[in-house]
Amino acid sequence: MSALDLSPTTAGKPTLAGRIEAQLRHDILHGVLAPGAKLNLDKLRNSMGVGLSPLREAVTRLVSEGLIDVAAQRGYTVTPISVANLEEVCALRLELEPYALRKSIANGGLDWETAVMGALYRLNKTDRTPGDPRSLAGWEAANNTFHLTLIERCDMPLLIKMYSSLVSMNDRYRHIYLKTVAIQRDVIDEHTAIAEAAVERRADDAAALLTRHIERSTDNLRRLITADLPTETPAGSA
């Protein structure tokens, strides 16, 4: 399990439960805790050197995000992955993100335009080297910042919360399946086209470009998952 400072919290720092949650989220998103793996809270508590109460709080938060499943008599498991689950995540993103982008274009001013183009510049200048965890993590952070900046002026906190949960679930597929892929899709032109259409207030074009971008990314992941999971996960397990 990844190392993380779990010492008692000090003023201005996240709570212990928050730091446990961050570690568990990282380990789930990066496949350290494998999809479908059972989570024994006593073993986790001992390995992390924490109390059961903050651990339960952290796990409960991740259940609400869809990264951990809980069932009576079965306890906690890392949410399994499947083509069906990926397609559900994609379908929800296709409904929410273009809508949020349209709202953001309508609400955003010069500060938002500047933030979008700044996030685009940082993303396009960030290298993504297969097999290099630090490089991949830097690119993922820049990519997520760009996409969030595009839609955050929708000014709808509940939508942003749902979006963040969907992105976490989508990122898990990307982290697990793309870390060993030698050649990854070049998305600089796609990101640039989306950003330019957004700041030029071409809402229809921007929404269409974002939709296609999400679809293409999902298509790539679907091919990798299908090769690794030739049969669908049974209904209700994903």
Side-chain angles (χ1 to χ4, degrees):
M1 190 166 292
S2 61
L4 194 71
D5 178 14
L6 296 175
S7 57
T9 186
T10 57
K13 292 186 177 181
T15 64
L16 178 57
R19 296 199 297 278
I20 296 170
E21 177 189 357
Q23 176 169 331
L24 291 175
R25 180 185 293 105
H26 173 277
D27 290 346
I28 291 171
L29 293 182
H30 291 80
V32 177
L33 291 172
K38 290 186 176 296
L39 298 178
N40 183 302
L41 296 193
D42 285 331
K43 289 182 179 179
L44 276 176
R45 175 174 60 84
N46 290 331
S47 67
M48 300 174 78
V50 298
L52 189 58
S53 179
L55 177 60
R56 284 188 182 277
E57 181 180 345
V59 168
T60 298
R61 294 176 187 175
L62 294 174
V63 169
S64 70
E65 289 186 27
L67 295 177
I68 293 177
D69 286 343
V70 59
Q73 309 303 320
R74 292 171 54 193
Y76 298 98
T77 59
V78 177
T79 301
I81 58 178
S82 68
V83 173
N85 177 259
L86 174 66
E87 290 181 341
E88 182 177 358
V89 170
C90 175
L92 291 170
R93 290 185 65 196
L94 290 174
E95 290 294 327
L96 292 178
E97 288 183 50
Y99 174 79
L101 179 56
R102 289 178 180 275
K103 289 290 187 180
S104 205
I105 291 171
N107 295 336
L110 180 59
D111 287 345
W112 170 76
E113 293 178 10
T114 302
V116 167
M117 298 312 291
L120 173 69
Y121 182 83
R122 177 175 293 277
L123 176 56
N124 286 348
K125 291 294 185 179
T126 301
D127 292 330
R128 177 169 55 162
T129 305
D132 181 349
R134 185 183 296 272
S135 169
L136 294 175
W139 188 90
E140 290 287 344
N143 181 63
N144 286 344
T145 296
F146 170 71
H147 280 278
L148 177 59
T149 303
L150 277 171
I151 69 167
E152 63 184 351
R153 278 308 319 272
C154 69
D155 299 338
M156 302 174 73
L158 183 57
L159 191 157
I160 293 296
K161 182 177 180 179
M162 290 187 288
Y163 161 80
S164 297
S165 179
L166 291 170
V167 167
S168 289
M169 287 185 275
N170 185 82
D171 282 354
R172 182 165 67 134
Y173 287 93
R174 192 158 58 202
H175 291 150
I176 292 174
Y177 283 93
L178 294 188
K179 62 185 177 183
T180 59
V181 176
I183 299 176
Q184 299 182 10
R185 190 166 64 91
D186 188 351
V187 291
I188 288 178
D189 289 344
E190 292 179 27
H191 286 147
T192 300
I194 295 167
E196 289 178 348
V199 300
E200 291 170 7
R201 312 295 169 159
R202 293 185 283 114
D204 289 344
D205 290 343
L209 288 164
L210 179 59
T211 294
R212 186 58 186 141
H213 176 68
I214 295 170
E215 290 173 339
R216 285 172 175 162
S217 296
T218 302
D219 286 346
N220 281 356
L221 286 172
R222 185 187 296 109
R223 284 193 291 271
L224 292 169
I225 295 167
T226 301
D228 194 47
L229 299 173
T231 58
E232 283 292 326
T233 303
S237 65

